[in-house]
């Protein structure tokens, strides 16, 4: 794609409506270099002098070599009954990407996530090519490799069908308010009788038991992320301190831009599920009850915070783009954005200083001479952070991200720009590795999605086959395959409001 | 800790007798008791040490540094695997030198540097491990490492791509030694691609992976991208890698073959950006930061109240900062109620459609009204008013609030352990609750090389004089 | 660009990058109390430093003096530098040095104090039943330790 063509399109744009600004970009605008160039004989590589390791990896690990390889969780059947929350979706998509058969069981009107558009803008909806049915990009992105069926669990008939489905399931994921499924007679204690091999995972914010368990509002609204993040001191310790950024500009405790509490709960739940699967297959032959919450999952990630409090009553405070544990290890503003530089050990720390000294010898002198900054651990003191980052930012003001990155990388310092979403989609290395890929979906066409991090494997790589599905698309197949219910009975059930009859 | 008498079949043991019909102790009908009581018994933290471990017999070699890759081993260890951490002799893991503001250390790190402690930063990514030393550069190291790999199920490493291969212990070599081996590499840029030799950290993953682009206050409000506290991308990517390891173990049962997993933590960060990429790919819209509010729901965000709960407290984290509340009322009924409570029924009339109130202009107006309403109230007052009205509001907890929250103690999430070396340490135990095989923390970490005899002599069977020789050469 | 503002009095004031990234106002030199006006826009210094005879708006967080062996004015020195409230405890107890303790928050033993002597054993090996949890610091501090480690010893022998 040449530059002029892209420019031309931009100039001709006439904006009369928000819709006019929604222009699909070509992707990727710049193709990454070819393998032959990256591994050419003149590319000196001290760790792989004869190129044999690079060749092995390219031949066996590259995500494009994944096609046709076996699936790690082949034959495992997962019923994903979660709605609204992200944790179940994350768990289901990881299991699905690794080859499990994941069936998303949705209420008749569908998972509300389907209709949560960013900033409420319906223009951002993806449309089913066949039916024109709209769905939000969130749903598309998080429910990959999942079949969709509709089943009204609030009806007796629906629950009976669900029980018959649960007989086949290895794993059930669920995030309804505590006790809902149990009340309906389809909780773990009922299902484990009809299917003792069942692994049943509940996801939530705070827990389904205990003095501060999940609850609903008096109108039935659920607790969703960031409730767990708030209750786990994640929010308290994220964000800029008012000393560095006044409160009115955002120097407050800050939540994550994405629902990361749910994401880590989903990942922790998946780890628990797979450990339970290992135990079931190798030892007991029996499943178990699992519970993963955002608050507790994130607490583990907060690492030493609570131990530090128990050590001497210290409460981890927020410190913006810095880190109180390592120096250097921060991002600071630069000429065209923010630049992250990291190097804690003496070897790396002085390499960073050498780079700065090239252009700012006085600043580098202030650091190099200071006896207080000579010892690695002492540099983590607050004064060490302030002094080091002030001098570093002084150097960064005259450097763009790309310049700073090139200069630091020339000395093997781990440094990288803070990239915006479009820049990530274009970053050569990520395009080459398929961190972001385009999926050709039967119903939604070309969809740009972030790839599974487990896509790069020798034997059983994770793959995305399709993105989120139209509501109830797989009713026909799943009902016939596991329940022996054909079209005639399905239509009858649909009339009773138990399921829907999907036809293209 | 009270001592327990060993009993081969304790009445409360659920390992092979799940309480499906009746409680083994009280004889109650488990079908009839209330659901919450049922959960309490299924997940009872006091029964932790009476239950079996999921990964008994699994052995994992952790050739790792920092948080990302050690975390794989630590979690395997919590599930019952035997995990052996290999460090450079005398130097150890650089993470040992990280402590918040250089203040909190535990001793000893090693006998060689008596005045150097191990920082709090090292605390949780290495629990339940055995610590040995090995200098991979030494010619003897390769055979020692092969011996460990031969009897192991999995290994994790984090050195720059190709380093292990050059040392003769890369995946192509190790899969000949042990074809069952699940080898996971965890790093930033991965094993192939134009920038494969770049080093990485958690913060790097956040910066280039996309989380930084969407976290923090919008630049129009004067905000900057904010780092998610304490190493999200290290911890969560480590767990993602572990999903790959455990799934590969499932496949290995059928085939007897291990695998190689090339995990990039940047990719994990990119995976956690929600709708950002579909939106960009289809419409060219670049997702931005949106502070403490939500882009999908409104009201569903964090507000500042006027007063703190305890203005007299000596710690500024309590006296100044305990003033934030998470308020969630995004469904119509809840939002209407909220508007009436804060005395702004006009907002409900204006934004009675859920789509309308998620629009940026609406959010700015609504949250401003909320903060104005809260400006003469304290955190607990706001929470109380909203909770009493039946709405959802949660205070933003600090470590003190978490520590004092009964909920997490009841559930066994917070747990004092009696560490064999370091004494009374508070840890997050049992992160994921499991009814039969709950994970558990046994010790937080051990000094450099503390288990050299335990592993090289007692496990591998090397005679002590041989170890002394290796020790003197600096190999271990 | 004057992020580290080296005043003519010889003191270097560190104007931390986030606070001063977009800033217009007067800053007082921590060394000599004279005030100067700055204007930063997106990190670029557009005006200043111009000395003015007015009250300062803000103090720097930290300053030191290279000519006096990097003598430092620490964070929160009254009238010189502004305090940093984003700390984990009462700022007056903040030291930036290892806190040596034998008791944790609830008064139980914790080994957060320098090492006890090396026990016998060929390899620096520690069993699980190791040493007494004595709390006497005198015992711990009086012991001799082996000298500095000899790195890369085996390479020399080759
Ligand atoms: Zn001066």
């Amino acid at each position: 794609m040449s530059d002029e063509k892209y420019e031309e399109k931009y100039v001709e744009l006439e904006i009369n409506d928000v819709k006019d600004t929604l222009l699909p970009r070509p992707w990727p605008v710049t193709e990454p270099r070819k393998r032959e160039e990256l591994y050419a004989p003149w590319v000196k590589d001290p760790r792989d002098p004869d190129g044999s390791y690079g060749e092995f990896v390219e031949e066996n690990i590259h995500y494009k070599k994944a096609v046709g390889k076996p699936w790690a969780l082949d034959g495992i059947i997962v019923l994903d009954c979660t709605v609204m929350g992200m944790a179940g979706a994350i768990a289901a998509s990881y299991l699905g990407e690794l080859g499990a058969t994941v069936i998303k069981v949705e209420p008749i009107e569908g998972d509300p996530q389907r209709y949560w558009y960013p900033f409420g803008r319906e223009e951002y909806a993806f449309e089913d090519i066949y039916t024109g049915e709209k769905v939000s990009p969130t749903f598309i992105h998080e429910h990959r490799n999942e079949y969709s069926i509709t089943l009204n669990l609030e009806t007796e008939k629906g629950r009976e069908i669900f029980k018959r489905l649960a007989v086949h399931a290895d794993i059930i994921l669920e995030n309804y308010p505590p006790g809902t499924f149990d009340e309906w007679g389809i909780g773990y204690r009922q299902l484990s009788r009809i299917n003792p091999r069942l692994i049943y995972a509940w996801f939530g914010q705070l827990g389904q038991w205990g003095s501060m368990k999940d609850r609903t509002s008096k109108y039935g609204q659920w607790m969703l992320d960031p409730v767990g993040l708030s209750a786990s001191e994640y929010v308290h310790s994220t964000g800029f301190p008012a000393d560095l950024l006044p409160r009115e500009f955002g120097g407050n405790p800050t939540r994550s831009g994405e629902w990361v509490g749910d994401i880590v709960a989903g990942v922790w739940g998946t780890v628990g599920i797979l450990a339970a699967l290992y135990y079931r297959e190798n030892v007991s032959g029996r499943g178990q009850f699992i519970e993963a919450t955002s608050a507790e999952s994130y607490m583990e990630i907060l690492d030493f915070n609570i131990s530090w409090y128990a050590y001497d009553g210290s409460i981890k405070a927020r410190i913006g783009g810095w880190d109180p544990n390592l120096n250097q290890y921060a991002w600071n503003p630069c000429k065209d954005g923010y630049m992250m530089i990291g190097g804690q050990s003496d070897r790396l720390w002085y390499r960073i200083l050498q780079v700065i000294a090239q252009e700012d010898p006085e600043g580098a002198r202030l650091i190099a001479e200071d006896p207080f900054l000579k010892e690695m651990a002492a540099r983590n003191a607050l004064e060490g952070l302030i002094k080091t980052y002030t001098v570093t930012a002084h150097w960064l003001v005259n450097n763009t991200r790309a310049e700073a990155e090139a200069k630091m990388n020339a000395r093997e310092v781990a440094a990288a720009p803070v990239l915006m979403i479009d820049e990530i989609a274009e970053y050569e290395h990520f395009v080459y590795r398929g961190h972001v890929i385009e999926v050709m979906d039967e119903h939604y066409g070309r969809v740009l999605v972030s790839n599974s991090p487990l896509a790069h494997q020798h034997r059983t790589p994770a793959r995305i086959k399709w993105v989120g599905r139209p509501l109830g698309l797989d009713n026909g197949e799943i009902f016939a395959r596991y329940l022996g219910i054909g079209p005639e009975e399905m239509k009858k059930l649909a009339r009773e409001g138990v399921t829907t009859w999907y036809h293209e | 800790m009270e001592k327990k008498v060993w009993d081969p079949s304790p009445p409360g043991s659920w390992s092979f007798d799940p309480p499906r019909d009746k409680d083994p102790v009280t004889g109650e009908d488990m079908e009839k008791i209330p659901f919450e009581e049922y959960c309490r018994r299924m997940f009872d933290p006091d029964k932790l040490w009476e239950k079996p471990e999921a990964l008994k017999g699994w052995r994992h070699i952790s050739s790792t540094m920092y948080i990302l890759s050690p975390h794989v081993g630590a979690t395997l260890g919590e599930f019952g695997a035997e995990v052996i951490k290999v460090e450079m002799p005398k130097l150890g893991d650089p993470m040992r030198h990280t402590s918040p503001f250089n203040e909190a250390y535990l001793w000893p790190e090693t006998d060689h540097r008596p005045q150097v402690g191990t920082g709090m930063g090292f605390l949780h990514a290495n629990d339940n491990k055995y610590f040995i030393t090995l200098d991979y550069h030494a010619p003897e190291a390769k055979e020692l490492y092969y011996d460990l790999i031969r009897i192991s199920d999995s290994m994790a490493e984090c050195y720059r791509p190709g380093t292990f291969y050059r040392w003769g212990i890369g995946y192509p070599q190790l899969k000949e030694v042990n074809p069952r081996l699940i080898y996971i590499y965890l790093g930033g840029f991965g094993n192939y691609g134009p920038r494969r030799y770049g080093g990485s950290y958690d913060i790097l993953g956040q910066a280039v992976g996309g989380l930084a682009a969407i976290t923090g206050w919008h630049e129009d409000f004067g905000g900057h991208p904010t780092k998610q506290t304490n190493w999200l991308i290290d911890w969560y990517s480590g767990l993602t890698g572990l999903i790959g390891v455990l799934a590969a173990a499932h496949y290995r049962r059928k085939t007897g073959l291990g695998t190689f997993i090339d995990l990039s933590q940047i990719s994990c960060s990119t995976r956690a950006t929600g709708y950002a990429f579909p939106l960009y790919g289809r419409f060219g819209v670049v997702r931005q930061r949106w502070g403490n509010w939500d882009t999908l729901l409104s009201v569903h965000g964090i507000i500042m109240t006027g007063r703190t709960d305890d203005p007299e407290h000596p710690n500024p984290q309590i006296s100044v900062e305990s003033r934030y509340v998470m308020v969630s009322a995004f469904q119509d009924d809840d939002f209407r109620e909220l508007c009436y409570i804060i005395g702004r029924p006009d907002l409900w009339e204006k934004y009675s459609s859920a789509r309308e109130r998620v629009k940026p202009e609406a959010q700015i107006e609504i949250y401003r009204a909320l903060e104005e309403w809260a400006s003469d109230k304290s955190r607990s007052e706001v929470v109380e008013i909203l909770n009493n009205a039946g709405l959802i509001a949660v205070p933003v907890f600090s470590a003190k609030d978490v520590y004092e929250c009964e909920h997490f103690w009841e559930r066994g999430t917070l747990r004092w352990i009696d560490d064999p070396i370091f004494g009374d340490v508070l840890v997050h135990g049992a992160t994921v609750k499991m009814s039969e095989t709950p994970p558990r923390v046994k010790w937080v970490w051990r000094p450099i090389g503390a288990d050299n005899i335990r592993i090289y002599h007692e496990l591998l069977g090397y005679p002590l004089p041989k170890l002394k020789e290796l020790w003197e050469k600096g190999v271990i | 660009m004057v992020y580290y503002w080296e005043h003519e009095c010889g003191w270097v004031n560190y104007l931390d990058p986030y606070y001063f990234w977009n800033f217009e106002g007067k800053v007082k030199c921590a060394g000599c109390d004279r005030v100067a006006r700055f204007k930063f826009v997106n990190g670029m210094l557009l005006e200043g430093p111009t000395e003015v005879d007015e009250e300062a708006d803000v103090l720097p967080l930290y300053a030191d003096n290279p000519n006096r062996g990097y003598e430092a004015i620490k964070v929160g020195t009254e009238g010189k530098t502004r305090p940093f409230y984003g700390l984990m405890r009462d700022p007056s107890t903040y030291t930036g040095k290892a806190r040596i303790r034998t008791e944790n928050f609830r008064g139980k033993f914790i080994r957060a104090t320098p090492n006890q002597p090396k026990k016998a054993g060929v390899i620096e090996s520690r069993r699980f039943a190791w040493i007494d949890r004595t709390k006497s610091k005198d015992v711990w501090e009086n012991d001799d330790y082996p000298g500095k480690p000899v790195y890369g010893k085996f390479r020399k022998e080759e």
Side-chain angles (χ1 to χ4, degrees):
Chain A
M1 187 79 42
S2 70
D3 285 354
E4 304 92 50
K5 202 175 166 194
Y6 198 54
E7 187 107 354
E8 196 181 6
K9 215 173 191 178
Y10 188 72
V11 172
E12 278 178 9
L13 187 70
E14 195 182 311
I15 302 173
N16 298 314
D17 186 80
V18 176
K19 275 195 177 137
D20 297 338
T21 65
L22 305 181
L23 248 191
R25 311 283 164 97
W27 180 87
V29 175
T30 28
E31 282 291 332
R33 277 171 285 166
K34 291 277 166 289
R35 176 182 162 183
E36 297 72 47
E37 260 179 81
L38 296 180
Y39 295 88
W42 58 84
V43 179
K44 255 174 116 188
D45 190 344
R47 292 178 189 84
D48 185 19
D50 61 351
S52 55
Y53 185 68
E55 181 152 349
F56 175 85
V57 174
E58 288 283 344
E59 284 305 321
N60 295 289
I61 316 296
H62 197 294
Y63 84 103
K64 283 189 177 156
K65 305 279 177 186
V67 182
K69 285 186 184 177
W71 298 86
L73 299 178
D74 203 4
I76 298 290
I77 295 174
V78 184
L79 299 182
D80 171 18
C81 309
T82 62
V83 293
M84 293 214 266
M86 234 49 113
I90 289 284
S93 66
Y94 271 114
L95 295 169
E97 285 164 348
L98 287 164
T101 304
V102 183
I103 302 163
K104 184 167 172 72
V105 182
E106 291 183 76
I108 301 292
E109 63 281 7
D111 183 345
Q113 252 183 42
R114 287 179 178 275
Y115 318 112
W116 290 349
Y117 304 116
F119 293 113
R121 288 184 179 142
E122 216 174 316
E123 310 88 272
Y124 296 163
F126 281 60
E127 282 177 16
D128 184 344
I129 291 163
Y130 301 105
T131 61
E133 191 185 312
K134 287 181 174 173
V135 67
S136 78
T138 305
F139 187 87
I140 290 251
H141 188 260
E142 304 300 341
H143 294 83
R144 36 187 78 171
N145 293 9
E146 288 187 45
Y147 297 97
S148 170
I149 65 166
T150 49
L151 195 54
N152 189 349
L153 296 176
E154 289 173 26
T155 62
E156 191 59 46
K157 187 83 185 160
R159 298 200 280 266
E160 193 192 299
I161 291 173
F162 184 75
K163 273 191 189 169
R164 276 157 61 195
L165 208 49
V167 171
H168 303 278
D170 296 276
I171 297 161
I172 285 184
L173 315 171
E174 181 254 298
N175 72 338
Y176 281 67
T180 309
F181 268 41
D182 193 75
E183 208 176 290
W184 286 344
I186 49 175
Y188 178 70
R189 62 177 155 179
Q190 295 94 0
L191 294 183
S192 61
R193 303 197 108 194
I194 55 178
N195 179 3
R197 288 170 61 82
L198 182 67
I199 296 165
Y200 184 110
W202 182 86
F203 296 93
Q205 294 298 314
L206 302 166
Q208 48 181 350
W209 55 284
S211 51
M212 206 176 70
K213 64 175 180 171
D214 274 33
R215 57 187 180 79
T216 57
S217 80
K218 71 177 169 194
Y219 301 109
Q221 184 198 298
W222 297 10
M223 276 184 163
L224 297 176
D225 193 305
V227 166
L229 288 185
S230 303
S232 70
E233 58 153 336
Y234 165 92
V235 175
H236 181 92
S237 54
T238 296
F240 279 87
D243 311 278
L244 297 183
L245 180 68
R247 276 182 217 271
E248 58 270 30
F249 300 139
N252 301 298
T254 309
R255 59 173 288 190
S256 175
E258 193 46 46
W259 293 13
V260 295
D262 272 9
I263 292 174
V264 295
V267 173
W268 254 115
T270 314
V271 167
I273 286 166
L274 291 174
L277 185 68
Y278 184 87
Y279 186 70
R280 183 188 90 174
E281 299 291 299
N282 291 289
V283 185
S284 71
R286 221 181 30 243
Q288 52 182 306
F289 198 7
I290 293 175
E291 179 181 340
T293 68
S294 293
E296 287 157 337
S297 302
Y298 213 100
M299 249 191 235
E300 200 248 6
I301 286 175
L302 290 169
D303 193 294
F304 60 82
N305 285 15
I306 202 70
S307 311
W308 195 22
Y309 182 73
Y311 176 86
D312 61 0
S314 297
I315 298 175
K316 171 92 190 295
R318 56 191 195 275
I319 189 140
W322 300 354
D323 193 303
N325 295 277
L326 303 102
N327 180 358
Q328 290 202 23
Y329 189 85
W331 63 64
N332 281 298
C334 70
K335 202 174 183 178
D336 67 339
Y338 300 84
M339 183 68 199
M340 172 265 149
I341 298 172
Q344 171 223 11
S345 65
D346 279 339
R347 196 169 55 103
L348 294 170
W349 203 76
Y350 283 109
R351 271 192 213 163
I352 298 172
L353 204 56
Q354 285 168 4
V355 176
I356 293 175
Q358 304 276 317
E359 291 161 34
D360 179 16
E362 294 128 72
R365 200 197 94 211
L366 288 172
I367 289 182
E369 285 179 1
D370 191 344
F372 163 62
L373 294 174
K374 291 235 192 293
E375 201 223 318
M376 175 161 45
R379 297 197 285 260
N380 296 340
L382 178 63
E383 286 82 7
L385 302 184
I386 293 169
K387 181 165 177 177
T388 315
Y389 295 145
T390 303
V391 171
T392 306
H394 182 91
W395 173 76
L396 283 173
V397 170
N398 295 321
N399 282 274
T400 61
R401 289 174 295 171
E403 287 162 6
E405 187 182 10
K407 287 171 191 168
M408 287 292 169
N409 285 342
R411 302 237 175 180
E412 290 203 359
V413 172
V418 170
L419 293 180
M420 302 311 281
I421 297 297
D422 53 333
E423 294 166 327
I424 294 163
E426 284 299 326
Y427 198 82
E428 186 193 27
H429 183 78
F430 305 156
V431 176
Y432 188 90
R433 278 178 63 86
H435 286 191
V436 178
I437 55 167
E438 228 167 26
V439 174
M440 279 301 289
D441 190 82
E442 190 191 344
H443 292 268
Y444 301 108
R446 300 162 81 91
V447 183
L448 192 67
V449 293
S450 58
N451 201 354
S452 169
L454 294 170
H456 321 277
Q457 285 195 41
H458 184 193
R459 295 218 163 85
T460 52
R463 276 149 277 173
I464 303 175
K465 290 177 275 191
W466 64 84
V467 292
R469 288 220 147 169
L471 181 61
L473 179 71
D474 304 292
N475 277 347
E477 182 194 338
I478 302 295
F479 279 59
R481 179 168 172 193
Y482 298 106
L483 306 166
I485 295 175
E488 284 314 310
E489 203 184 334
M490 274 205 65
K491 282 180 197 163
K492 215 176 97 209
L493 287 171
R495 276 197 296 278
E496 288 168 25
V498 176
T499 180
T500 49
W501 172 239
Y502 186 93
H503 54 96
E504 280 166 0
Chain B
M1 257 191 168
E2 51 193 288
K3 287 207 169 152
K4 290 213 168 78
V5 182
W6 187 78
D7 175 358
S9 55
S13 166
W14 292 351
S15 53
F16 294 97
D17 179 24
R20 258 177 229 128
D21 301 318
K22 55 180 188 173
D23 188 292
V25 182
T26 61
E28 274 174 287
D29 189 345
M30 291 291 277
E31 291 269 309
K32 299 272 161 58
I33 60 174
F35 178 68
E36 188 170 354
E37 193 50 40
Y38 174 77
C39 291
R40 237 175 245 282
R41 292 192 201 176
M42 291 298 274
F43 299 117
D44 188 354
D46 294 338
K47 295 274 195 303
L48 183 69
W49 297 101
E50 292 165 22
K51 295 182 180 181
E53 293 183 308
L55 302 183
K56 190 192 81 172
W58 183 304
R59 190 174 291 119
H60 175 83
I61 308 297
S62 182
S63 293
T64 56
M65 295 183 292
Y66 297 106
I67 299 280
L68 169 66
S69 43
H71 189 208
V72 174
T75 312
L76 285 169
E78 284 175 31
F79 283 111
E82 181 184 38
V83 183
I84 300 165
K85 166 126 176 165
V86 187
E87 290 180 286
M88 278 294 281
K90 302 179 179 86
L91 294 171
D93 183 340
M95 199 69 199
R96 287 179 183 267
H97 308 294
T98 62
S99 184
F101 293 135
N102 191 31
E103 281 208 342
Y105 290 90
L106 297 176
W107 270 268
E109 179 210 52
T110 159
D111 290 332
H112 290 274
R113 286 176 290 182
Q115 295 313 315
V116 176
T118 292
M120 278 279 172
F122 191 67
L123 204 61
H124 287 317
N126 292 286
D127 45 21
N128 299 1
K129 290 184 185 178
Y130 291 98
F131 285 78
I132 64 167
T133 51
L134 182 64
D135 184 347
Y136 306 108
H137 303 87
E140 295 91 339
K142 201 164 91 176
E143 279 307 317
L144 281 171
Y145 202 75
Y146 284 175
D147 288 347
L148 284 169
I149 290 298
R150 259 182 216 113
I151 55 171
S152 296
D153 292 89
S154 59
M155 72 84 90
E157 63 107 339
C158 65
Y159 293 76
R160 295 198 186 193
T163 308
F164 265 42
Y165 181 74
R166 197 189 45 179
W167 287 338
I169 49 177
Y171 177 67
Q173 295 115 336
L174 292 185
K175 82 175 178 0
E176 304 302 322
V177 174
N178 177 2
R180 287 174 50 81
L181 182 73
I182 298 167
Y183 183 128
I184 179 163
Y185 167 88
L186 300 102
F189 292 93
N191 271 272
Y192 64 93
R195 258 205 80 175
R196 61 195 178 282
Y197 293 125
S200 179
Y201 296 106
D202 161 76
I203 190 172
L204 187 144
Q206 295 193 25
V208 286
L211 269 175
I214 59 170
T215 300
W217 292 74
H218 198 282
E219 64 176 307
D220 289 358
F221 304 144
H224 301 285
T226 280
K227 186 168 89 67
Q228 328 248 343
T229 186
N230 279 18
W231 317 318
L232 164 65
I233 288 304
D234 272 0
W235 287 92
Y236 140 73
S237 313
L239 283 172
T240 305
L242 184 53
I243 291 176
V245 171
L246 291 169
H250 187 75
Y251 175 76
R252 187 177 64 183
R253 282 190 80 244
K254 301 177 199 162
T255 60
L257 292 172
T259 188
F260 175 87
I261 303 171
D262 177 20
L263 187 109
S264 150
Q265 64 178 163
I266 297 168
S267 172
C268 293
S269 172
T270 307
R271 176 72 184 81
T273 51
Y275 59 78
F277 288 102
L279 192 67
Y280 171 69
R282 178 63 58 96
F283 304 112
V285 174
V286 180
R287 185 178 178 181
Q288 303 290 328
R289 312 188 289 271
W290 193 236
N292 267 340
W293 308 335
D294 201 282
T295 57
L296 300 177
L297 301 170
S298 167
V299 170
H300 190 66
I302 290 153
I303 60 163
M304 184 167 81
T305 64
R307 286 186 285 115
T308 66
D309 270 355
D310 186 359
E312 302 303 315
H313 198 280
N315 190 332
Q317 293 304 311
I318 304 299
S319 61
V320 186
E321 302 294 347
S322 63
R323 62 196 298 181
Y324 295 87
V325 178
M326 198 256 143
V327 181
S328 177
F330 56 85
Q331 290 184 359
D332 287 348
D333 294 331
D334 295 76
F335 180 66
R336 190 188 57 229
E337 183 87 18
L338 184 69
C339 289
Y340 278 93
I341 290 172
I342 66 169
R344 291 290 303 274
D346 58 305
L347 285 177
W348 160 246
E349 270 148 40
K350 198 164 165 193
Y351 301 120
S352 50
S353 126
R355 295 243 170 97
E356 277 309 310
R357 58 179 175 266
V358 191
K359 298 263 159 80
E361 314 79 45
Q363 290 204 32
I364 291 170
E365 192 180 345
I366 293 168
Y367 284 107
R368 207 167 271 164
L370 271 171
E371 293 202 338
E372 203 170 294
W373 167 74
S375 63
D376 60 345
K377 297 176 183 63
S378 73
R379 178 179 77 167
S380 44
E381 279 165 9
V382 169
V383 171
E384 208 181 307
I385 291 170
L386 297 179
N387 283 350
N388 285 347
L391 300 183
I392 288 172
V394 190
V396 171
F397 276 18
S398 69
K400 178 170 177 281
D401 300 307
V402 171
Y403 182 83
E404 286 166 6
C405 180
E406 195 45 45
H407 182 72
F408 298 120
W409 293 98
E410 272 170 54
R411 289 168 62 83
T413 308
L414 296 186
R415 171 185 295 276
W416 291 100
I417 61 162
D418 186 14
D419 187 278
I421 290 186
F422 304 106
D424 195 40
V425 183
L426 182 65
V427 299
H428 307 121
T431 302
V432 59
K433 306 282 179 282
M434 297 172 76
S435 61
E436 283 199 40
T437 57
R440 59 207 78 174
V441 179
K442 299 160 190 173
W443 55 85
V444 289
W445 53 270
R446 296 173 50 72
I448 296 173
D451 301 299
N452 275 341
I453 289 186
R454 166 75 179 71
I455 299 301
Y456 288 126
H457 177 59
E458 293 177 10
L459 180 68
L460 293 178
Y462 280 82
L464 286 177
K466 169 81 177 162
L467 290 190
K468 190 162 195 298
E469 188 194 320
L470 291 170
W471 159 251
E472 277 160 4
K473 280 186 176 176
V475 179
I476 62 173
Chain C
M1 253 58 52
V2 189
Y3 273 95
Y4 48 89
W5 170 33
E6 190 160 5
H7 199 240
E8 54 195 42
C9 67
W11 283 86
V12 182
N13 299 275
Y14 296 94
L15 308 183
D16 46 294
Y18 281 104
Y19 191 92
F20 292 95
W21 192 247
N22 281 302
F23 174 84
E24 187 174 2
K26 294 156 282 178
V27 187
K28 189 164 89 168
C29 168
C32 67
D33 294 353
R34 274 182 283 171
V35 178
R37 177 182 289 282
F38 290 84
K39 184 178 180 188
F40 292 100
V41 173
N42 273 343
M44 291 293 177
L45 182 71
L46 292 194
E47 287 165 29
T50 355
E51 279 207 17
V52 288
D53 196 15
E54 291 167 51
E55 281 285 292
D57 300 319
V58 69
L59 307 174
L61 272 175
Y62 180 66
D64 64 12
N65 194 330
N67 303 327
R68 291 206 225 153
Y70 288 89
E71 185 192 328
I73 300 175
K74 294 234 166 193
V75 175
T77 308
E78 214 181 327
K80 299 280 180 189
T81 54
R82 68 180 198 273
F84 194 86
Y85 292 107
L87 282 172
M88 58 291 184
R89 278 190 316 277
D90 182 355
S92 66
T93 63
Y94 168 73
T95 60
K97 295 202 177 75
R99 273 160 83 91
I100 307 296
R101 331 174 55 85
T102 49
E103 275 184 6
N104 68 5
F105 193 54
R106 64 165 187 175
K108 293 216 178 176
F109 170 82
I110 187 166
R111 200 184 294 282
T113 192
N115 212 354
Q116 294 202 1
K118 187 164 133 177
K119 229 189 156 194
V122 279
I123 295 139
E124 44 172 7
S125 192
R126 292 278 172 251
R127 290 315 173 110
F128 283 78
W130 181 32
I131 30 182
D132 287 342
R133 291 175 168 187
T134 170
K135 290 180 187 177
S136 159
K137 274 180 88 177
D138 324 339
V139 183
W140 296 23
E141 280 162 3
N142 286 338
D143 283 302
D144 309 330
Y145 292 100
K148 279 194 167 180
V150 187
Y151 295 114
K153 200 173 169 192
F154 72 92
R155 280 207 199 83
K156 245 183 249 165
E157 285 168 3
E158 269 174 6

